Amino acid sequence: MPKDTDKNLFKGKKVLVFGLGLLGGGVATTNWLLKHGAKVTITDLKNKKQLAPSLKKIKGRVALKLGGHSEKDIRENEIIVLNPDVSPKNPLVKLARKLGKQIENEATIFYKLCPKPIVAVTGTRGKTTTANWLAHFLNARYKTIVSGNSYVEPMLKTLDKVNKFSVVVNELPSYHLELFSGGVKAPEVVITNIFQDHLNRHGTIENYTRAKANVFKNQSAEQNLVLNYDNKWTPFLLKLKPKAKTWFFSSSSLPKRAVGIFYKNEAIYLQTDGLAKKVLKVRGFTDKWGEHNLQNLLAASLMAHICGVPWLKIRQKIKTLPQVPFRQEVIYKDKKIRIINDTSATSPDGGIAALKRFGSPHCVLIAGGTDGRLDYSEWAKMARRRIKPENIILLAGSATEKMLKCLGRVDESQIFDTLRGCVKAGLAKACKYPKSILLFSPAAKSFEKFKNEFDRGKQFNALIRKEKKKWTQR
């Protein structure tokens, strides 16, 4: 638990939680602030009825200013804590900054107060799997906890129990990193990759990449930064002049000057001083986990090695790597069909990874959702290459409209307003084949019809269970 002096930073202070939300992070933040003596006011665009699931979980007395935000709330509070959905460019946040208010989010609070070493994992794709696999490897030597995503507990829900652990592995999305500056503890860092994402928030991929780069802003020369040599945005990150020792991972090879690991002939090699040494045998790994997970394995195993876990221990732990829910997860399998829940594919690149792994003439794809100002041309090329036009099922939404323009060959009868309609149609098509795959990989966000991608994934699983009797008796 943080020191008493640290906890007292919020004791008696008037704190405005700017956005409660329905995903759990706002509740965890509010409860943590209440526990440590803050006088909390909650403001949110949603009303009391809409926020009822979150409000009933709050453990203490708070003032509620719902149905909108006001300048008065900014002026009357000393500390403003932003929900991830609230942009630092919001006019009221700008006012708070102008008035000299202390502005935080759950990540800045966590990093300022966490008493244990932190390994941060960020990037566009693979950060949840990499974070969980890294923790899996680190557990061979240290007692490790994972925090910071919707698959595990929110950061501030874990803060008061981190003293039971030796190391924290923390997953960080770009919107948590926007406020990283002076006073934020510098972690060891893994950046899995950079692809187009969240452009509705950041405007350009350059701005998005700079937000990601904030994670290594405060690092020292004694710390470590792991980067993806294969990713085209890595040179951009290097131009930002990180101070830490930089390591690379690659699924093919590394130049002699680079320090890091690479994959070759179903083995992983560590390269230092221009010399490569085989450290892991990974025969059959890509067949089991897919090519995209090879990069997650490289990133996680390299950082585990940097943190002091022997390669022998890493090799042993590869045999028991956990399947992270909602990430190309096989939720049902028999002799005739495999059903894949990849709801966490919230961008075109995520969808492409799933299509590369599962796409075939007997694969039925369910995709579509909310647009984040992303380009679907490459996704559409891969979909046309790997999936028959009649086997593409789309859930109506703003991203789906873009998909349709890029695909150009999908009949209107294959577009549905509900996920239930998509699932029923997808199963009907898949069951026509003697052996098939039903792939739910939206390649888009979910906000038009669901709370988030995890709510979407849970609903998909529920629909599969509901329809099970019908399609297992085919």
Side-chain angles (χ1 to χ4, degrees), residues 444-460:
K445 299 291 189 294
S446 60
F447 307 126
E448 288 166 335
K449 298 179 186 294
F450 310 93
K451 294 176 185 177
N452 57 21
E453 65 267 29
F454 302 103
D455 174 49
R456 176 173 66 185
K458 289 174 184 176
Q459 290 194 37
F460 177 79

Side-chain angles (χ1 to χ4, degrees), residues 104-146:
E104 307 281 358
N105 61 29
E106 62 176 302
T108 61
I109 295 172
F110 184 88
Y111 272 71
K112 287 176 180 178
L113 302 185
C114 180
K116 296 294 183 176
I118 301 174
V119 184
V121 179
T122 192
T124 306
R125 297 294 306 158
K127 54 185 178 292
T128 300
T129 298
T130 299
N132 282 276
W133 285 5
L134 173 55
H136 180 72
F137 292 142
L138 289 175
N139 272 321
R141 183 170 180 180
Y142 312 100
K143 192 174 181 183
T144 309
I145 185 171
V146 184

Side-chain angles (χ1 to χ4, degrees), residues 79-340:
I79 302 172
I80 314 299
V81 181
L82 304 184
N83 181 284
D85 280 343
V86 180
S87 169
K89 296 178 183 178
N90 183 294
L92 291 178
V93 179
K94 290 181 178 180
L95 172 64
R97 192 172 287 113
K98 183 179 178 181
L99 294 172
K101 303 290 184 179
Q102 180 181 338
I103 302 173
E104 307 281 358
N105 61 29
E106 62 176 302
T108 61
I109 295 172
F110 184 88
Y111 272 71
K112 287 176 180 178
L113 302 185
C114 180
K116 296 294 183 176
I118 301 174
V119 184
V121 179
T122 192
T124 306
R125 297 294 306 158
K127 54 185 178 292
T128 300
T129 298
T130 299
N132 282 276
W133 285 5
L134 173 55
H136 180 72
F137 292 142
L138 289 175
N139 272 321
R141 183 170 180 180
Y142 312 100
K143 192 174 181 183
T144 309
I145 185 171
V146 184
S147 74
N149 62 44
S150 298
Y151 167 55
V152 293
E153 294 180 332
M155 276 180 262
L156 293 184
K157 195 172 181 180
T158 64
L159 182 56
D160 287 344
K161 59 184 178 184
V162 294
N163 256 353
K164 299 176 183 177
F165 299 87
S166 305
V167 179
V168 178
V169 176
N170 178 234
E171 179 185 336
L172 283 169
S174 59
Y175 43 76
H176 273 147
L177 288 163
E178 290 170 316
L179 299 182
F180 269 46
S181 58
V184 175
K185 180 179 183 176
E188 303 294 305
V189 175
V190 177
I191 301 181
T192 58
N193 48 54
I194 301 290
F195 296 109
Q196 58 164 339
D197 202 4
H198 300 298
L199 299 191
N200 55 333
R201 171 77 166 241
H202 299 288
T204 66
I205 193 166
E206 289 82 4
N207 289 340
Y208 170 62
T209 307
R210 287 189 187 94
K212 291 288 191 184
N214 282 340
V215 72
F216 61 70
K217 181 184 289 185
N218 297 327
Q219 281 189 302
S220 68
E222 289 72 41
Q223 291 184 286
N224 299 281
L225 170 63
V226 170
L227 297 177
N228 184 341
Y229 188 81
D230 302 336
N231 187 253
K232 70 177 184 180
W233 284 95
T234 294
F236 183 91
L237 291 169
L238 293 173
K239 286 180 182 178
L240 299 176
K241 299 181 179 179
K243 300 182 186 73
K245 180 178 180 180
T246 304
W247 303 69
F248 298 96
F249 63 92
S250 171
S251 57
S252 54
S253 63
L254 289 174
K256 292 291 184 181
R257 68 182 184 279
V259 177
I261 62 175
F262 63 89
Y263 172 82
K264 181 181 179 182
N265 297 332
E266 301 207 76
I268 293 174
Y269 294 79
L270 173 66
Q271 180 170 287
T272 56
D273 299 321
L275 300 175
K277 176 185 176 182
K278 185 188 293 187
V279 291
L280 294 172
K281 295 178 182 178
V282 287
R283 187 176 300 279
F285 182 86
T286 55
D287 292 336
K288 179 180 179 180
W289 290 100
E291 290 182 12
H292 70 293
N293 271 323
L294 172 63
Q295 294 226 328
N296 297 333
L297 174 68
L298 290 165
S301 60
L302 176 55
M303 180 52 83
H305 163 72
I306 293 168
C307 293
V309 181
W311 288 113
L312 176 61
K313 293 289 186 182
I314 294 172
R315 188 184 313 151
Q316 292 169 345
K317 297 286 271 185
I318 288 175
K319 299 173 184 177
T320 54
L321 285 170
Q323 167 67 62
V324 180
F326 302 137
R327 285 155 177 84
Q328 297 189 7
E329 180 186 11
V330 180
I331 61 166
Y332 180 84
K333 182 180 180 180
D334 63 24
K335 293 180 180 179
K336 294 183 178 181
I337 191 170
R338 273 192 296 165
I339 301 177
I340 315 298

Side-chain angles (χ1 to χ4, degrees), residues 1 3 21 75 157 282 403 454:
M1 190 180 295
K3 299 175 184 178
R75 294 180 185 278
K157 195 172 181 180
V282 287
M403 291 175 171
F454 302 103

